[in-house]
Amino acid sequence: MAITSARTAALYDRVRRFIPPVEWPIFADDIDAILDLKRQRNAVVLAHNYQTPEIFHCVADIVGDSLALARKAMTVEADVIVLAGVHFMAETAKLLNPGKTVLIPDTAAGCSLAESITPEDVRRLRQCHPGVPVVTYVNTSAAVKAESDICCTSGNAKAVVEALGVPRVIMLPDEYLARNIAAETDVEIITWQGHCEVHELFAPADIRQLREDHPGVTVLAHPECPPDVVAEADFAGSTAAMSDYVARQKPSRVVLMTECSMSDNVAVDHPEIEFIRPCNLCPHMKRVTLANIRAALEQNRHEVTIAPEVAGRARLAVERMLAI
Ligand code: 13P
Ligand code: SF4
């Protein structure tokens, strides 16, 4: 068992504030194996900002928000993509780079938003609102994307809605993201009642308490939070936008109203900043571990496939988004 190779020792230096020494030998063994397997299989690991620091900082080749992962997946040249994130992200990577083997370490890594809507729901919405374009958040199945005109992420939702040049759009499935965007644009937005089970838990009272307990704290919120939470925050943006805000503005104290691992990952690069952590865990993101990334590469599991009749239409909706 390679517990303390020079390369894992160097990686531990980076994450030691977030991983207790007693846990590291187990992680180091998996990290060493994954680094070797990536070379042997000509594979890359794409990790979302909500992955734990030992994944995000120690085995990932590409990290970012949903938009960045989609853009970068498109240009991956390696043979294999391991998506350390949730299922819709792996599907998006497969849509955009169909010639590659795309692996998801745990097929049960879902998303409450993706589960909130079916293709039939989208068809019914179209019947109720004839001629109104459907803008679909990437946090959906490929089958739902296939029923849509265009996709969006939290990083480009306003730009996508306004680029359509129409007075009304249907935006699904995240009601709060849609209402937060509606507050920033003149385009009328018809919403769906999906919610992120992580972000819906934050309340404005949490922010008031945080400001009282930690004077001067800068509050950043993800736009999947309810609108009354976003209204009380100092800034709202995608996970990448929050990370960029911290790097640019360097607040002395900051709180990220989002998934727990995000603060740890950003804090690695900003030891001078105090991060307050009233976070909520995403049980789906947390299904991905070093152990199942290693197993994915060793056993070529679990390969993501999309039925061709769905893939063509879903790809079009994602590509239209990326063209904006
Ligand atoms: P972004 O990284 O695109 O902001 O999305 C957040 C999220 O909830 C992904 O599951
Ligand atoms: Fe889905 Fe929310 Fe988890 Fe993101 S954080 S994967 S939106 S449940």
Side-chain angles (χ1 to χ4, degrees):
M1 211 167 55
I3 291 177
T4 54
S5 73
R7 62 184 175 179
T8 55
L11 290 169
Y12 189 54
D13 270 349
R14 208 158 149 62
V15 294
R16 64 168 64 247
R17 287 191 297 134
F18 305 99
I19 298 173
V22 65
E23 285 180 23
W24 184 249
I26 301 165
F27 287 162
D29 185 48
D30 283 333
I31 291 168
D32 250 333
I34 291 167
L35 297 179
D36 288 340
L37 282 159
K38 282 199 299 182
R39 219 182 25 248
Q40 287 158 20
R41 295 216 49 202
N42 190 21
V44 289
V45 174
L46 270 61
H48 185 260
N49 290 329
Y50 294 160
Q51 292 296 296
T52 47
E54 69 277 8
I55 295 174
F56 189 92
H57 287 287
C58 301
V59 299
D61 301 281
I62 295 169
V63 295
D65 66 355
S66 313
L67 184 58
L69 293 182
R71 280 196 192 288
K72 289 174 184 166
M74 205 163 46
T75 58
V76 163
E77 285 179 2
D79 298 325
V80 179
I81 297 173
V82 180
L83 204 307
V86 291
H87 195 262
F88 76 80
M89 294 176 177
E91 275 193 339
T92 304
K94 183 70 184 175
L95 285 174
L96 292 171
N97 209 336
K100 306 298 176 188
T101 299
V102 177
L103 305 176
I104 178 98
D106 186 330
T107 49
C111 171
S112 64
L113 284 167
E115 272 134 43
S116 73
I117 191 156
T118 65
E120 293 69 42
D121 292 327
V122 186
R123 288 195 285 271
R124 265 197 302 274
L125 270 170
R126 280 196 189 279
Q127 274 166 14
C128 295
H129 305 282
V132 179
V134 175
V135 179
T136 292
Y137 198 28
V138 285
N139 298 39
T140 44
S141 65
V144 164
K145 290 183 177 75
E147 299 295 330
S148 313
D149 294 288
I150 188 165
C151 286
C152 74
T153 74
S154 59
N156 63 12
K158 181 169 179 260
V160 167
V161 163
E162 294 188 341
L164 295 176
V166 294
R168 287 175 100 196
V169 302
I170 299 167
M171 191 171 169
L172 53 86
D174 188 345
E175 180 196 351
Y176 295 149
L177 175 71
R179 283 172 51 197
N180 286 323
I181 298 302
E184 295 178 10
T185 179
D186 292 333
V187 179
E188 188 193 335
I189 298 184
I190 298 160
T191 63
W192 182 252
Q193 65 277 16
H195 299 134
C196 162
E197 68 188 87
V198 174
H199 293 95
E200 71 176 347
L201 299 178
F202 292 112
D206 300 333
I207 299 189
R208 283 176 225 139
Q209 193 63 52
L210 280 161
R211 292 198 194 277
E212 208 176 302
D213 295 345
H214 307 278
V217 69
T218 299
V219 180
L220 312 186
H222 193 276
E224 290 170 8
C225 290
D228 51 1
V229 170
V230 166
E232 295 219 13
D234 298 302
F235 172 81
S238 76
T239 55
M242 285 193 272
S243 180
D244 291 347
Y245 183 102
V246 172
R248 214 177 39 249
Q249 304 289 336
K250 299 207 181 310
S252 54
R253 290 182 143 177
V254 70
V255 56
L256 309 183
M257 310 293 282
T258 191
E259 211 277 340
C260 299
S261 295
M262 172 87 195
S263 292
D264 293 346
N265 290 331
V266 180
V268 165
D269 292 322
H270 302 285
E272 74 290 1
I273 296 176
E274 182 190 359
F275 285 79
I276 317 292
R277 292 183 168 80
C279 60
N280 295 319
L281 272 176
C282 173
H284 311 288
M285 287 281 178
K286 262 50 226 184
R287 282 184 173 275
V288 178
T289 61
L290 285 175
N292 60 23
I293 292 173
R294 178 178 180 170
L297 284 164
E298 281 170 347
Q299 298 164 38
N300 200 48
R301 70 176 202 198
H302 303 274
E303 191 167 350
V304 176
T305 55
I306 305 169
E309 67 278 13
V310 168
R313 290 179 295 134
R315 184 177 302 119
L316 214 57
V318 179
E319 285 175 348
R320 284 193 191 119
M321 165 185 87
L322 294 177
I324 286 174

